[in-house]
Amino acid sequence: MSFESLGLRAELLRAVSEKGYTTPSPIQLQAIPHILEGRDIMGGAQTGTGKTAGFTLPLLQRLMESAKPENSRRAIRALVLTPTRELAAQVEESVILYGKHLPLKSTVIFGGVKINPQIQKLRSGVDILVATPGRLLDHVSQRTVDLSKVEILVLDEADRMLDMGFIRDIRKVLALLPKQKQTLLFSATFSDEIKKLSHDLLNTPALVEVAQRNTTAERITQVVHPIDKNRKRELLSFLIGSNNWKQVLVFSRTKHGSNRLAEQLNTDGITAAAIHGNKSQGARTKALADFKSGKVRVLVATDIAARGLDINQLPHVVNYELPNIAEDYVHRIGRTGRAGNEGEAMSLVCVDELKLLKDIERLLKREIPKVVLEGYEPDPSIKAEPINRGRGNQPQGARKPAGNRSASDQNKQRSSYGARAGNQGRSQNQSSQNRPRRTTQNAA
């Protein structure tokens, strides 16, 4: 089936064609007709399925069907709420891309940047507003935004917004919206809280679900490398350098850990940048741009910062530390294997994280292959210690951290890492004795 068969306007079809798309994805095939009919939607889809275009295209068409005269004052007629700044920016990019042949105006507002330029854009009038909940309420408090004319509401990645504690903010926003409106709710998972929110918010919604609950993309190859905690960075540097990976997204559990790992990788001769909530919006935007352009090979991110990142053809995702919440694993590895591309997701798992790994496998309803790399075998004498399940806290290590070793020892180790990882142009005929050989290990 083609986009033409969905009943979209010529201007939208032209924009889709210019983007190079010819066949709609399953989520687009299911969602677009329902949205064009004016129905509420409860959508469940994996990342990389074309979900954003699935609601952006029909949203633009619906607004054009009831377009106001050009000489009338513009009012916000469509509101898209997203959990993170990066996702908000990407949704706005899609609105601009698909609506470029239409006389509709849009803007995006989020925190971490100055509010005055946003106020100026809002005062000039916009049809479509993409926003994060916190900054939107800032504008509401300053009376720089009027939501009384909203016709369409989109809650994108609603599960993540609830995970991040935005439920009260969302309900405050909902109280400012007209009762009569079309609502589109999209979520990667359907928790009890999401079901309650949808029950309160949606009116006889159409259920659009293109993947089984909490499943991972079929095109993603997953593997676990068992490794001692204090050798993770050494193994990560070696894998990146020896395989000459050009673009790797690495997940760390904490902001401080992301900074430290990025600094260590740079010391190893591998260009890296960190992205997390404490970074300014300018720093986050630059880090992401450098990563996409290839100026930086490794982007080290926390879960919150990375949710919604859309990086075309990202080949590798590494879980440097497993997430405390199993569902976050699905979101993490979903950054690769997008839009029909192949992807590889590997996890470096120490003994402290075996319980987290079991939780993930229980969620996936399958075991992830375990591959021990020769020369990096875990020390069986190390015993697991309890993991602090609080979000953002790392499990306590069983070995003495690097910071407690002598400076000379650390310098020796750093030199060893750099020699391995920094030599990107190693010959194909190099002796294989320096490369780890893979041996399969049974599930722990």
Side-chain angles (χ1 to χ4, degrees):
M1 187 177 287
S2 65
F3 280 100
E4 287 82 356
S5 65
L6 296 176
L8 294 171
R9 298 172 63 96
E11 299 94 331
L12 296 173
L13 293 174
R14 179 182 169 191
V16 169
S17 176
E18 289 171 351
K19 182 65 176 175
Y21 297 141
T22 56
T23 306
S25 70
I27 187 69
Q28 292 162 2
L29 279 174
Q30 292 190 44
I32 289 175
H34 287 305
I35 298 173
L36 290 178
E37 291 173 1
R39 293 194 64 183
D40 287 3
I41 291 287
M42 183 171 182
Q46 297 170 266
T47 56
T49 56
K51 173 192 60 178
T52 302
F55 67 75
T56 299
L57 288 167
L59 179 152
L60 290 166
Q61 177 141 326
R62 292 275 294 165
L63 293 182
M64 286 301 298
E65 290 171 350
S66 60
K68 301 294 187 296
E70 291 188 9
N71 58 355
S72 67
R73 190 180 188 284
R74 292 180 185 270
I76 297 169
R77 300 165 54 213
L79 172 65
V80 183
L81 287 179
T82 74
T84 66
R85 308 167 190 174
E86 283 74 22
L87 182 55
Q90 289 170 17
V91 170
E92 163 70 351
E93 288 175 6
S94 291
V95 171
I96 294 172
L97 173 68
Y98 296 119
K100 63 182 179 178
H101 302 302
L102 299 174
L104 297 172
K105 291 181 64 177
S106 65
T107 194
V108 60
I109 58 175
F110 47 71
V113 296
K114 293 180 179 179
I115 198 170
N116 286 337
Q118 296 177 353
I119 292 174
Q120 293 302 317
K121 289 183 179 180
L122 290 169
R123 284 177 176 168
S124 68
V126 296
D127 301 285
I128 305 161
L129 177 62
V130 185
T132 53
R135 179 49 65 93
L136 177 60
L137 289 175
D138 288 342
H139 281 279
V140 169
S141 67
Q142 296 193 35
R143 299 184 179 181
T144 54
V145 65
D146 178 10
L147 302 177
S148 64
K149 301 294 191 298
V150 169
E151 302 167 19
I152 304 174
L153 168 67
V154 182
L155 294 179
D156 195 13
E157 299 202 354
D159 52 335
R160 175 55 57 173
M161 283 196 276
L162 266 56
D163 286 346
M164 294 170 65
F166 286 141
I167 184 61
R168 293 183 64 184
D169 288 349
I170 291 173
R171 294 199 179 278
K172 287 179 182 178
V173 172
L174 295 177
L176 301 170
L177 301 176
K179 292 187 180 299
Q180 296 299 320
K181 61 184 176 300
Q182 183 179 14
T183 303
L184 317 175
L185 184 151
F186 291 90
S187 177
T189 59
F190 292 139
S191 65
D192 291 340
E193 199 171 10
I194 286 291
K195 290 177 181 177
K196 183 179 186 305
L197 178 64
S198 65
H199 181 269
D200 296 341
L201 186 60
L202 305 179
N203 180 28
T204 59
L207 178 61
V208 177
E209 193 170 13
V210 298
Q212 294 181 359
R213 180 176 174 177
N214 295 334
T215 57
T216 52
E218 295 178 357
R219 292 179 176 270
I220 302 174
T221 301
Q222 301 175 62
V223 66
V224 165
H225 292 314
I227 183 73
D228 290 339
K229 180 179 179 180
N230 69 342
R231 298 195 70 195
K232 281 189 179 186
R233 193 256 293 189
E234 178 185 356
L235 177 56
L236 176 62
S237 290
F238 181 79
L239 288 170
I240 295 170
S242 63
N243 293 301
N244 199 23
W245 289 344
K246 297 298 186 182
Q247 196 177 46
V248 192
L249 178 60
V250 178
F251 284 95
S252 176
R253 201 179 288 125
T254 66
K255 301 168 187 176
H256 176 68
S258 298
N259 285 337
R260 184 174 63 247
L261 181 58
E263 292 171 359
Q264 291 171 336
L265 289 172
N266 279 300
T267 300
D268 292 347
I270 299 171
T271 53
I275 181 171
H276 53 69
N278 280 358
K279 294 278 188 179
S280 69
Q281 185 58 38
R284 288 164 69 164
T285 301
K286 182 179 185 303
L288 183 57
D290 288 347
F291 183 61
K292 287 183 174 181
S293 69
K295 185 176 180 180
V296 166
R297 295 171 66 187
V298 182
L299 187 65
V300 186
T302 56
D303 288 300
I304 289 178
R307 182 65 182 263
L309 290 182
D310 189 3
I311 303 162
N312 290 333
Q313 301 182 7
L314 175 67
H316 309 287
V317 168
V318 176
N319 290 297
Y320 187 76
E321 296 160 322
L322 291 181
N324 288 331
I325 298 175
E327 285 84 354
D328 286 343
Y329 174 86
V330 178
H331 300 313
R332 286 182 176 190
I333 72 171
R335 299 304 103 200
T336 186
R338 298 169 71 88
N341 295 304
E342 301 290 332
E344 180 181 32
M346 59 180 58
S347 302
L348 310 185
V349 178
C350 68
V351 66
D352 295 345
E353 298 171 298
L354 294 181
K355 177 62 171 64
L356 298 177
L357 178 60
K358 286 297 182 184
D359 291 344
I360 291 168
E361 292 179 327
R362 190 177 301 113
L363 177 72
L364 300 179
K365 295 181 173 59
R366 53 164 288 197
E367 289 189 358
I368 304 173
K370 289 31 171 219
V371 177
V372 176
L373 299 180
E374 187 171 316
Y376 295 93
E377 298 87 348
D379 184 345
S381 68
I382 298 177
K383 304 301 180 184
E385 292 193 5
I387 291 178
N388 186 333
R389 287 282 186 160
R391 193 178 271 276
N393 292 318
Q394 299 185 48
Q396 296 298 312
R399 282 193 173 184
K400 185 165 59 176
N404 292 335
R405 295 195 296 269
S406 70
S408 61
D409 287 341
Q410 293 184 52
N411 288 335
K412 288 178 183 178
Q413 191 177 45
R414 201 172 280 128
S415 174
S416 173
Y417 296 167
R420 286 179 169 180
N423 187 11
Q424 302 167 15
R426 59 175 62 195
S427 168
Q428 294 295 323
N429 298 322
Q430 181 182 5
S431 171
S432 62
Q433 66 181 1
N434 290 330
R435 284 177 173 267
R437 292 195 301 273
R438 295 189 171 190
T439 59
T440 302
Q441 173 182 289
N442 294 329

